[in-house]
């Protein structure tokens, strides 16, 4: 599971550009700063190298090592990959 903190993300696109598996795409979802957030469109291709976490200047990305796709029960009304609870 890849989580992106929408409050921390500043839309620099470093994660999109640095991911060797081309997991991220720009989404049409804006945060409060008015930037379009990245979305892990091809999350199934992720090899958990954590490069995107390291590249993100704002520590907005969390790559969880366990495979837990498709669980959406305890989320709020946002996309499961995008958290803005800060
Ligand atoms: S952990 Fe690696 S493969 Fe997965 S999204 Fe981040 S940079 Fe891409
Ligand atoms: S690298 Fe971090 S701040 Fe930049 S677009 Fe990706 S999640 Fe947002």
């Amino acid at each position: 599971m890849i989580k992106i903190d929408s409050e921390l993300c500043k839309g620099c696109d470093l994660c999109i550009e640095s991911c060797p598996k081309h997991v991220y795409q720009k989404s049409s979802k804006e945060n409060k700063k008015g930037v379009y957030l990245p979305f892990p469109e091809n999350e199934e291709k992720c090899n958990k190298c954590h490069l995107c976490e390291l590249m993100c200047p704002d520590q907005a990305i969390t790559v969880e090592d366990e495979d837990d796709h498709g669980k959406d029960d305890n989320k709020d009304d946002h996309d499961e990959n995008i958290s803005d609870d800060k």
Side-chain angles (χ1 to χ4, degrees), residues 4 8-16 26 38 52 55-61:
I4 297 164
L8 295 176
C9 176
K10 64 184 178 190
C12 68
D13 294 348
L14 279 175
C15 53
I16 298 173
K26 202 83 161 171
C52 54
M55 291 297 291
C56 178
D58 295 280
Q59 288 84 48
I61 299 177

Side-chain angles (χ1 to χ4, degrees), residues 6-42:
S6 65
E7 294 296 304
L8 295 176
C9 176
K10 64 184 178 190
C12 68
D13 294 348
L14 279 175
C15 53
I16 298 173
E17 293 166 9
S18 64
C19 174
K21 297 293 183 180
H22 307 290
V23 166
Y24 293 101
Q25 289 187 2
K26 202 83 161 171
S27 77
S28 57
K29 182 180 170 72
E30 279 182 81
N31 68 6
K32 290 176 184 169
K33 298 172 189 170
V35 304
Y36 290 103
L37 298 166
F39 183 77
E41 178 75 26
N42 302 309

Side-chain angles (χ1 to χ4, degrees), residues 4 17 24 30-31 35 38 43 45 54-55 60 63 65 68-69 77:
I4 297 164
E17 293 166 9
Y24 293 101
E30 279 182 81
N31 68 6
V35 304
E43 189 171 351
K45 294 182 181 172
L54 294 170
M55 291 297 291
V63 178
D65 283 324
D68 190 23
H69 298 290
D77 57 348

Side-chain angles (χ1 to χ4, degrees), residues 44-67:
E44 74 281 357
K45 294 182 181 172
C46 174
N47 62 7
K48 310 272 194 306
C49 71
H50 295 270
L51 183 61
C52 54
E53 270 181 334
L54 294 170
M55 291 297 291
C56 178
D58 295 280
Q59 288 84 48
I61 299 177
T62 305
V63 178
E64 296 178 348
D65 283 324
E66 74 272 24
D67 269 335

Side-chain angles (χ1 to χ4, degrees), residues 73-84:
D73 293 341
N74 297 315
K75 306 295 181 190
D76 56 18
D77 57 348
H78 297 286
D79 293 337
E80 65 174 341
N81 295 99
I82 296 176
S83 137
D84 56 4

